[in-house]
Amino acid sequence: MFTDVDRRAMARALELAERGLETTHPNPRVGCVLAQGEEIVGEGWHERAGEPHAEVNALRAAGPKAVGATAYVTLEPCAHHGRTPPCVEALIAGRVARVVFAVEDPNPRVSGQGAEALRRAGMAVESGLLAREAAALNPGFLKRMRSGRPWVTVKLAMSLDGRTALASGASQWITGSAAREDVQHWRARSSAILTGIGTVLADDPRLDVRLPDPPFGRSRRQPLRVVLDARLRTPPSARMLATGGAVLIVGAANRGEDEVEHAARRARLVQRGAVIEEVSAPEPGATPGTEASRLSLPDVLDLLGRREINELWVEGGPALAGALLREALVDELIVYIAPKLLGPQARPLIEMSELRNLQDAPNFAIIESRQIGEDVRLRVRPQSLSRGSPVG
């Protein structure tokens, strides 16, 4: 049975973990508090991969006061050697008496093993305190460890009548400056930003993070930029290739086009610093589609999972958003709604097949609604989605 003291200490550990929101990739965000009764004697959080974990930082801060203390940790302490030694060894060496952690680490190298190692050392171990709040800090890490794929968030911006751009394609700016700055923070916490070749050719985006360095940590990490580009049509002069940070271009393995020209395009992009990976196109006749250059979106997510991408932020056009939704690959939509009307000739939010029955419409649960400047930001998660065809 957890006490009010336990809850306050874990809540503080969650506050500490949030300090690593933009810096810990590909590791989880973790905080730790060491307490003697109601007195906090040490605090720590994980700042960057390869550096000490939250438990080690808290133990260093506590010094000899760690002996007999309770450790409150937002994620099960690790029991394996990675870039750093196991945290369970540090807790045992620090002679902590009790460990309370919020959620079990689904990493197969850790899951349950950290808790068991602590129990074998004679410590009292409890779990589940503020588990939902702790999980909300690490949706991508938890999902990747369980499924091998990142948490997929699709960003959309629209008018009151659900339009994203004028018929001419003009869209700068539907939303206000506060909403655009808010997007920068979502980019910053993401492991990668994904877009399609259509957006690259139309808008030439940078897709980088343009914010000051975070208050905790040293310098800002730029997320990986990912372009779905089956035929490698990304121009070598693209702005994202001229700015800091890595760019991954995902092409098609079975293109059915001139290999010499494809190799030349590939060489030009590699020379500009891009990394090229390939995934399969859909099997012929497996799903409807008009372009042989389409990519398998599930394969793209598997590829990014292997690259340790936890949270994937998607900024693209209505075709890419619609394809991800049809494939039931979206975990969350973040929709910015501007108090404007663009009219029926303007471009739609999402491309999707015509519905014959209202009950076939995808349903979403609103998990947050907030005003951002003049606009409203909705966070919604799918309740049920139909499957469809991948694109690239």
Side-chain angles (χ1 to χ4, degrees):
M1 187 67 134
F2 297 116
T3 67
D4 289 342
V5 171
D6 292 333
R7 293 184 180 87
R8 287 195 296 270
M10 185 63 80
R12 176 57 181 165
L14 288 166
E15 290 177 357
L16 295 168
E18 194 170 3
R19 294 183 179 183
L21 197 65
E22 300 176 2
T23 62
T24 62
H25 164 82
N27 288 356
R29 298 118 182 181
V30 182
C32 178
V33 164
L34 291 175
Q36 294 277 7
E38 296 189 20
E39 180 190 3
I40 292 178
V41 297
E43 296 183 338
W45 72 93
H46 181 47
E47 297 182 29
R48 288 177 182 268
E51 297 185 3
H53 288 189
E55 298 93 322
V56 173
N57 287 327
L59 286 163
R60 288 176 178 173
K65 291 184 178 180
V67 177
T70 295
Y72 300 90
V73 193
T74 59
L75 187 69
E76 179 184 4
C78 63
H80 68 288
H81 285 269
R83 300 185 195 182
T84 58
C87 291
V88 294
E89 292 184 0
L91 291 167
I92 293 169
R95 298 168 62 192
V96 170
R98 175 179 176 236
V99 176
V100 178
F101 63 88
V103 290
E104 183 177 301
D105 189 337
N107 184 341
R109 302 170 70 188
V110 179
S111 183
Q113 299 176 51
E116 181 58 29
L118 294 171
R119 290 190 180 100
R120 286 200 304 268
M123 294 184 189
V125 179
E126 299 170 75
S127 64
L129 178 59
L130 301 185
R132 179 177 297 181
E133 293 83 350
L137 277 176
N138 289 295
F141 177 81
L142 297 177
K143 182 186 174 187
R144 179 169 66 84
M145 287 298 159
R146 290 167 179 152
S147 71
R149 293 178 178 174
W151 179 270
V152 179
T153 300
V154 176
K155 171 256 180 180
L156 301 166
M158 70 179 192
S159 61
L160 284 174
D161 50 349
R163 302 292 169 167
T164 62
L166 300 178
S168 65
S171 62
Q172 295 184 342
W173 298 100
I174 289 179
T175 55
S177 58
R180 297 196 296 275
E181 182 177 350
D182 190 63
V183 168
Q184 290 290 318
H185 287 284
W186 284 98
R187 286 182 179 181
R189 66 172 283 170
S190 301
S191 304
I193 303 169
L194 176 77
T195 195
I197 182 58
T199 297
V200 172
L201 294 176
D203 300 335
D204 192 20
R206 287 166 53 182
L207 292 184
D208 57 352
V209 177
R210 297 183 289 277
L211 291 170
D213 286 341
F216 304 103
R218 289 180 294 278
S219 60
R220 181 163 298 286
R221 172 192 60 84
Q222 286 293 339
L224 174 70
R225 274 83 53 81
V226 183
V227 181
L228 301 184
D229 183 6
R231 292 173 288 170
L232 304 187
R233 293 182 291 155
T234 300
S237 60
R239 289 201 301 166
M240 70 172 61
L241 295 172
T243 57
V247 176
L248 170 65
I249 298 177
V250 183
N254 43 342
R255 296 171 300 277
E257 63 174 349
D258 183 89
E259 291 298 327
V260 174
E261 174 58 27
H262 186 85
R265 291 197 293 267
R266 182 188 184 103
R268 288 192 290 268
L269 291 170
V270 170
Q271 187 176 28
R272 293 287 293 149
V275 175
I276 312 293
E277 295 266 15
E278 293 182 341
V279 300
S280 299
E283 293 294 328
T287 53
T290 59
E291 297 182 20
S293 61
R294 289 185 173 186
L295 304 172
S296 167
L297 292 177
D299 286 355
V300 171
L301 296 185
D302 289 339
L303 167 67
L304 296 178
R306 292 193 295 272
R307 283 180 159 268
E308 297 186 303
I309 300 302
N310 291 332
E311 295 181 20
L312 180 65
W313 178 258
V314 181
E315 292 192 32
L320 178 57
L324 286 164
L325 285 166
R326 288 194 302 273
E327 284 288 314
L329 298 174
V330 176
D331 296 295
E332 186 169 317
L333 296 176
I334 292 186
V335 186
Y336 295 89
I337 306 172
K340 300 174 182 176
L341 295 172
L342 300 186
Q345 291 77 30
R347 298 187 177 184
L349 184 68
I350 291 172
E351 288 185 7
M352 56 185 291
S353 301
E354 181 180 358
L355 298 176
R356 296 185 179 274
N357 299 293
L358 190 58
Q359 59 265 32
D360 294 333
N363 293 315
F364 298 85
I366 298 175
I367 63 169
E368 183 189 52
S369 175
R370 178 186 295 184
Q371 184 159 351
I372 307 289
E374 299 176 347
D375 308 308
V376 171
R377 185 189 72 196
L378 290 182
R379 293 178 61 197
V380 303
R381 293 181 182 170
Q383 292 181 340
S384 63
L385 290 168
S386 58
R387 298 191 62 84
S389 61
V391 300

